[in-house]
Amino acid sequence: MRKILLLSVSILIVSCTVGPNYVKPEIYEDKQIAEALKLNNANLKIANDWYTEFDDEKLNILINYAQLNSPDILSSIAKLRQARSLVLINRTNFLPMLNLNTEYDYVKPSKNIGLVSDTDYFQAGFDASWELDIWGKGRRLNEQTMAQFEQQLYSLRNVKSLIAAETATTFFELKNVHENLRIAKQNLKLQQDIFNSIAKKYDAGLTDKSDYNQAKYILDTTTALIPSLENNATNLKNALAVLCGTLPDRLPVVISQTDSNPLNRVYKYNLNTLYNLPASIIRTRPDVKSAERALAAQNAAIGQAVAELYPNVSLSAMFGVQAHNLSSLFNSDSKAYGYNPALSLPLFNWNKLTNNVELQKQIKQQAYQNYRKTLLTAVGELDNAAVGIKKEIERNKALKNAVYNMQQALNSMRQKYDNGLIEFSSLLQTQQNLLKAQTDLADSSANILKNIVAFYKATGGGY
């Protein structure tokens, strides 16, 4: 037995870890990323609760509720716990195992095989087994499962960031629908007044059927907008319910059209801070880090495949007691023991093991390209969000001027029409232009808020 232990210690001393050691790939230098995004490497801090900057209590409640109840987040938490359990399980794969076994065996032989008496015996003892991790297969397995655990950890953080951003975006889309409803109803009232005026003139024979029909057409067209917008509002409330993991009538807040609308607030955003970010902001995004950890896990899988090419050494032993009757089971003469060192060496397997090594290498290449694509996607998203905020603010300013000018034009055109100076079609066209300008302005205001959300999401949702 001492020889076996000495052999085991000697093997462990000379054991090694085969396969490539992982080196994190530096895809694109920070300087290149900073130049591509025009970052000035300042250290702008972004809090994890970035959404509180919108100063909307109902939005804060919705996001906090979603963070606790979203099915996607809870599913990711379950995956993280599975990964943690796998780490704990795989850590024991190459450790000595000890089992307690008890057994009673009775055999009554057939009379046709001769005069053989019945046999029975009792047995109790310990079985030990140990597969020696000479080539580091177990260490690579531990390395892989730990990387997969970290991958799931960053994946969970990414899901939380996505849920926060999606909840905020959906909330602002709902507020955009509410604003469009307000605009449509306001214009509907104005168009109803115009139609009533035209109807009186038509009844009095002061205008023709064409003006009457045009006024009715505009009135009906705007009326038709309202059911569609109300349907959109219902769809968006249902989307919020899914994000929050609850039924639509059990959202933690009541969102109504009469609430103050963030689209109508003056939201001042310092555009100069958009580029006060370090180039490392891309690499710290949870989705990028998750992809990098997946690459590390696959690198460890190569080491496991390489270890399969080498001899495998295992030890097993038994120590216990055996006897033909229970009363003498624990006598000194009942002691029994045995040990079995084993060596297996793959000799001929039709290149199955070498092909598996090549397979794992190709899977690693796929993981590398996925990591590279994730990083490039992150760069594109941050650039899109930053440019989107700047350009939408410029567009918003122009639309505000357009709305003001169209309101002035409509007032002037109505006076001219009442005085018989212009055709009715000119008044209707101006009124339609005002409705479009107001709707475009509301959409633009919502886009600014959604682009800001996209910017925070592109930075990783806080870092």
Side-chain angles (χ1 to χ4, degrees), residues 62 65 69 237-253:
L62 282 170
Y65 190 90
N69 297 281
K237 283 183 179 179
N238 289 336
L240 282 174
V242 173
L243 289 167
C244 289
T246 188
L247 296 173
D249 62 343
R250 295 186 181 180
L251 282 169
V253 293

Side-chain angles (χ1 to χ4, degrees), residues 85-97 129-131 138 141-142 145:
S85 297
L86 195 59
V87 169
L88 298 177
I89 291 171
N90 287 335
R91 279 179 179 174
T92 65
N93 282 348
F94 288 84
L95 297 177
M97 299 293 174
S129 62
W130 185 13
E131 181 180 348
L141 178 61
N142 292 338
T145 52

Side-chain angles (χ1 to χ4, degrees), residues 376-411:
L376 290 172
T377 300
V379 171
E381 287 180 353
L382 186 59
D383 193 33
N384 290 343
V387 172
I389 292 172
K390 291 177 63 177
K391 297 304 178 183
E392 197 60 53
I393 287 178
E394 294 176 9
R395 179 170 177 262
N396 193 264
K397 290 179 180 178
L399 287 171
K400 285 180 180 178
N401 292 332
V403 169
Y404 174 79
N405 290 328
M406 288 310 302
Q407 286 174 333
Q408 299 301 313
L410 180 63
N411 294 335

Side-chain angles (χ1 to χ4, degrees), residues 189-200:
K189 183 178 179 180
L190 175 61
Q191 291 167 3
Q192 186 66 58
D193 291 341
I194 294 175
F195 174 75
N196 291 341
S197 177
I198 294 298
K200 289 179 181 179

